[in-house]
Amino acid sequence: MQAAVLVDNIGTDGLTGEWGLGFYIVYDGVKILLDTGSSGLFLENAEKLGIHLEDTDYAVLSHAHYDHANGMAAFFNKAGKAKFYLRRGCAENCYSKRQFYYKYIGLPKRVLRRYSDRIVYVDGDYELCPGVTLVPHKTKGLEELGKINKLYVRENGCFRADGFAHEQSLVFRTDSGLVIFNSCSHAGADNIISEVSQTYPDQKIRALVGGFHLYRRTDEDIRALAERIRNTGIEEIYTGHCTGQHAYGILKEELGDSVHQLYAGRVMKF
């Protein structure tokens, strides 16, 4: 399989960066778009990379935040007829808590209704195609991480800590082990590795690709996470976006050559 980074905070080689993330993955001939970044920039970068998004077989949303979903309408309007696969928990209700107010950080308003014929909601472990599965969070008590990261959902007029029911991992079987994509890893990179390992107890975990949402965490938190990741036995991690450059440096210091930087235009082969 091969995965190209369409959007990341870091731009390179003539590709523009933005606060967001998006991938184009080719697996056994099947073409999958994962996330669309904060705008329609992913379309421009795909064109520069020679990627024809109109050939996409499946589109997947990792979670219901704007920096991964704001390009959905652009995809629907300009880039083919593939369905978009969302976790059942997705809704236009995600917020970040600021000092005195809650800021909306969710899906583009009305996108779910306007493009309902193009959207598929999934539950449980969902096989997208042979060898590719969408896996939900299975760790209990994730609302505590929601509070720590000041992330909330609004339901019935009230705000509650986000338990990330709208987030999912995209998991690929490869000859060298399972490759996990989870674009922001709000549930914790170590928890996500464990969730997938428990789902596939007979499979080795090869790599985890995505942001780790560490840009507001303390050095102590980051080093503790690095130790937990090390203890999972995973071979490699590819991270960027909401990990943040400071946290990336600490992960690199702690985990060495197993850590790789994401940037727009990077191509990974597994």
Side-chain angles (χ1 to χ4, degrees):
M1 65 173 287
Q2 179 171 297
V5 183
L6 299 183
V7 176
D8 180 70
N9 299 16
I10 301 173
T12 186
D13 296 331
L15 301 181
T16 304
E18 69 176 4
W19 178 265
L21 197 57
F23 301 93
Y24 191 72
I25 304 162
V26 181
Y27 175 86
D28 197 22
V30 177
K31 301 174 179 67
I32 301 171
L33 174 70
L34 173 62
D35 292 348
T36 63
S38 295
S39 69
L41 177 64
F42 76 104
L43 296 174
E44 300 174 24
N45 284 349
E47 185 175 355
K48 290 176 182 177
L49 290 169
I51 292 171
H52 303 288
L53 288 175
E54 63 271 18
D55 296 334
T56 301
D57 296 302
Y58 302 93
V60 173
L61 185 67
S62 65
H63 64 289
H65 286 173
Y66 78 96
D67 48 339
H68 301 263
N70 266 9
M72 287 177 68
F75 176 78
F76 291 137
N77 292 329
K78 299 180 182 179
K81 300 180 180 180
K83 300 282 189 181
F84 230 109
Y85 290 76
L86 281 62
R87 188 57 35 186
R88 179 76 62 186
C90 279
E92 297 169 14
N93 65 347
C94 291
Y95 290 78
S96 174
K97 188 176 183 180
R98 304 305 167 91
Q99 190 172 5
F100 300 113
Y101 68 100
Y102 294 88
K103 180 182 178 181
Y104 184 71
I105 60 167
L107 296 166
K109 291 293 188 178
R110 294 175 292 281
V111 72
L112 299 180
R113 182 171 69 252
R114 187 177 299 153
Y115 300 100
S116 59
D117 61 324
R118 299 285 300 277
I119 291 172
V120 179
Y121 294 97
V122 302
D123 298 292
D125 297 328
Y126 183 89
E127 185 178 68
L128 194 66
C129 61
V132 184
T133 306
L134 297 172
V135 177
H137 289 312
K138 301 171 181 179
T139 305
K140 295 185 183 302
L142 292 179
E143 291 79 7
E144 282 303 309
L145 285 174
K147 288 181 182 179
I148 290 171
N149 289 302
K150 299 182 179 180
L151 296 173
Y152 289 78
V153 292
R154 187 175 186 179
E155 295 179 345
N156 301 318
C158 298
F159 291 98
R160 64 170 180 81
D162 198 340
F164 309 112
H166 55 91
E167 189 169 61
Q168 56 188 345
S169 295
L170 180 60
V171 182
F172 296 85
R173 288 179 179 264
T174 76
D175 291 340
S176 60
L178 299 176
V179 177
I180 308 165
F181 285 75
N182 191 298
S183 294
C184 272
S185 306
H186 291 110
D190 56 322
N191 287 331
I192 289 164
I193 296 166
S194 296
E195 289 170 350
V196 174
S197 183
Q198 290 165 15
T199 304
Y200 299 100
D202 59 334
Q203 298 288 315
K204 180 180 72 172
I205 308 295
R206 168 76 172 80
L208 172 63
V209 184
F212 289 177
H213 207 79
L214 296 173
Y215 70 104
R216 293 177 176 171
R217 303 299 293 272
T218 67
D219 290 6
E220 291 76 14
D221 287 342
I222 298 164
R223 293 187 191 280
L225 175 64
E227 179 63 21
R228 296 195 300 273
I229 291 173
R230 180 186 292 109
N231 290 339
T232 69
I234 195 169
E235 293 184 6
E236 292 183 293
I237 57 174
Y238 292 77
T239 191
H241 178 42
C242 57
T243 297
Q245 288 304 106
H246 178 72
Y248 177 83
I250 294 174
L251 291 174
K252 189 73 173 175
E253 178 185 327
E254 293 288 333
L255 299 174
D257 292 341
S258 66
V259 180
H260 309 281
Q261 177 73 66
L262 294 177
Y263 53 83
R266 175 155 204 160
V267 176
M268 299 161 284
K269 297 182 179 180
F270 301 99

